Amino acid sequence: MTETTILTVSDLKTSFKVKRAGRKYRVQAVDGVSLSLREGEVLGLVGESGCGKTTVGRSLVRLVQPDSGAIDFKGTDVIAAGGASLRSLRLSIRMVFQDPFASLNPRRSIGDSVAEAGDINDVFKSRSERTALIAQTLVAVGLDPSFAERHPHELSGGQRQRVGIARAILPRPAVIIADEPVSALDVSVQAQVLNLLMDLREQLKLSMLFISHDLGVIERISDRVAVMYMGRIVETADTRTIIDRPLHPYTRALMAAVPKPDPSKRIAGAIETGEPPSQFSRPSGCTYAARCPLRTDRCLAEVPELRASGPERMAACHNLMN
Ligand SMILES: Nc1ncnc2c1ncn2[C@@H]1O[C@H](COP(=O)(O)OP(=O)(O)OP(=O)(O)O)[C@@H](O)[C@H]1O
Ligand SMILES: [Mg+2]
């Protein structure tokens, strides 16, 4: 890992228009996310269901159009990119999805699926070069080149996710956004796919945003972790620090919810009650205030900014616990 930043996200906001009981609403899925991905690192993005993790990932490759904010990839303005520059960005920043079956066309051969990004962008000089690159990419993800002729229904879940990874790496991207890539897999297969991702990261010098709600998985693969709550990042730190010494009350509650065999590692005082507030009626102050044991009047009135709270760590809380 180097200290060079490859992808910088500043105050990103992404919303969706939805209709509910005949009325139109706006769901603010991402509400001011700032984070940076360093060259060669795996940044884990963790948080409970619905907090906006997938929307962050999709915004980074413009599968959804952000409302505002800035995304910089090696000097390119991702939000403003269009035409050729957007196509080229989508070869450099690639997504791996949770459900490889849903993201593979059942009628296409595995080879055609793996080659898709290359075909769309006319990167193959010849038929034989295309065949060779498909074979090479399949081998890189631990599959025999003969898989190119097969179809998705003939593959196991783990094999399909290997194909999903092959599709992502074929154009030699710099960044992988892996959105819950092992959540749909059996536990025994999860470890194999995680190992593959870790090997590829070394071999291909990838930087990775690894989205998961599973802290065990995040702990295994991430160098740093960003914790998300209701559309915002509430804490970032390196993985060991955030697991052993979480600062934000929400991170504490999240870590306390994971069973720890060693009682000395259990976190005291992480009481949490209730559900997150509705996406349709956001509180005016800190979004976590309604559930927070440390809540004060200030928390109800004023949104806490994400700010440095020690070397290499940031948190967004008015009442930081040290
Ligand atoms: N296409 C969409 N249309 C309308 N609302 C959406 C859409 N995509 C996401 N949302 C809403 O935005 C919010 C954030 O969703 P998102 O899928 O980003 O969360 P997540 O953290 O990835 O959740 P999960 O852990 O369940 O995958 C949720 O309230 C969700 O219902
Ligand atoms: Mg998601």
Side-chain angles (χ1 to χ4, degrees), residues 16-18 27-30 47-56 58 64 98 179-180 211-213 228 279:
F16 298 101
K17 285 185 199 134
V18 291
V27 176
Q28 194 67 50
V30 176
E48 65 202 307
S49 184
C51 72
K53 305 180 295 297
T54 294
T55 308
V56 169
R58 289 166 61 87
V64 286
Q98 171 171 0
D179 188 1
E180 307 267 9
I211 299 173
S212 179
H213 64 270
M228 199 167 169
Q279 296 277 357

Side-chain angles (χ1 to χ4, degrees), residues 5-272:
T5 298
I6 189 162
L7 192 67
T8 308
V9 180
S10 316
D11 203 20
L12 179 74
K13 297 189 180 181
T14 306
S15 61
F16 298 101
K17 285 185 199 134
V18 291
K19 245 185 168 177
R20 242 194 178 191
R23 285 189 57 191
K24 285 185 189 144
Y25 294 84
R26 190 169 275 276
V27 176
Q28 194 67 50
V30 176
D31 193 20
V33 159
S34 298
L35 52 84
S36 57
L37 181 65
R38 297 172 192 162
E39 216 161 57
E41 85 167 338
V42 179
L43 175 66
L45 182 61
V46 66
E48 65 202 307
S49 184
C51 72
K53 305 180 295 297
T54 294
T55 308
V56 169
R58 289 166 61 87
S59 300
L60 296 180
V61 288
R62 297 267 308 279
L63 284 173
V64 286
Q65 181 63 23
D67 306 331
S68 63
I71 304 170
D72 177 285
F73 170 72
K74 287 181 158 179
T76 303
D77 178 345
V78 174
I79 294 184
S85 74
L86 183 57
R87 277 197 298 279
S88 138
L89 271 173
R90 284 182 174 153
L91 295 177
S92 299
I93 309 175
R94 306 278 299 161
M95 277 197 87
V96 174
F97 299 94
Q98 171 171 0
D99 182 352
F101 202 51
S103 57
L104 291 175
N105 183 330
R107 283 180 299 276
R108 299 189 92 182
S109 72
I110 297 301
D112 285 348
S113 281
V114 169
E116 187 180 81
D119 289 336
I120 293 172
N121 293 282
D122 249 338
V123 303
F124 305 116
K125 290 189 199 77
S126 65
R127 193 83 202 157
S128 61
E129 189 194 277
R130 182 180 184 274
T131 309
L133 193 55
I134 292 170
Q136 188 192 325
T137 309
L138 287 171
V139 171
V141 299
L143 296 174
D144 190 86
S146 64
F147 273 73
E149 307 304 322
R150 300 208 196 172
H151 285 78
H153 70 268
E154 300 171 67
L155 273 57
S156 69
Q159 288 168 340
R160 283 200 285 260
Q161 193 53 296
R162 286 175 192 271
V163 172
I165 295 167
R167 298 182 76 188
I169 64 168
L170 179 118
R172 286 308 193 103
V175 175
I176 293 281
I177 295 164
D179 188 1
E180 307 267 9
V182 299
S183 307
L185 305 175
D186 291 343
V187 175
S188 58
V189 182
Q190 283 191 359
Q192 296 166 14
V193 173
L194 283 180
N195 286 340
L196 170 66
L197 283 170
M198 288 195 275
D199 289 347
L200 290 173
R201 165 214 183 170
E202 289 292 320
Q203 286 164 25
L204 307 178
K205 309 222 175 322
L206 295 167
S207 311
M208 208 182 296
L209 181 68
F210 190 96
I211 299 173
S212 179
H213 64 270
D214 184 335
L215 279 163
V217 169
I218 289 276
E219 181 176 5
R220 281 205 53 203
I221 198 160
S222 311
D223 301 305
R224 283 194 308 138
V225 177
V227 179
M228 199 167 169
Y229 185 77
M230 283 197 77
R232 296 177 71 93
I233 303 294
V234 296
E235 181 165 5
T236 61
D238 72 84
T239 307
R240 268 277 51 89
T241 304
I242 217 159
I243 286 172
D244 291 345
R245 284 174 288 120
L247 220 46
H248 194 285
Y250 176 62
T251 317
R252 293 194 153 212
L254 210 59
M255 299 302 160
V258 181
K260 290 207 172 54
D262 177 358
S264 70
K265 294 266 171 66
R266 284 186 201 139
I267 298 150
I271 318 134
E272 171 165 302

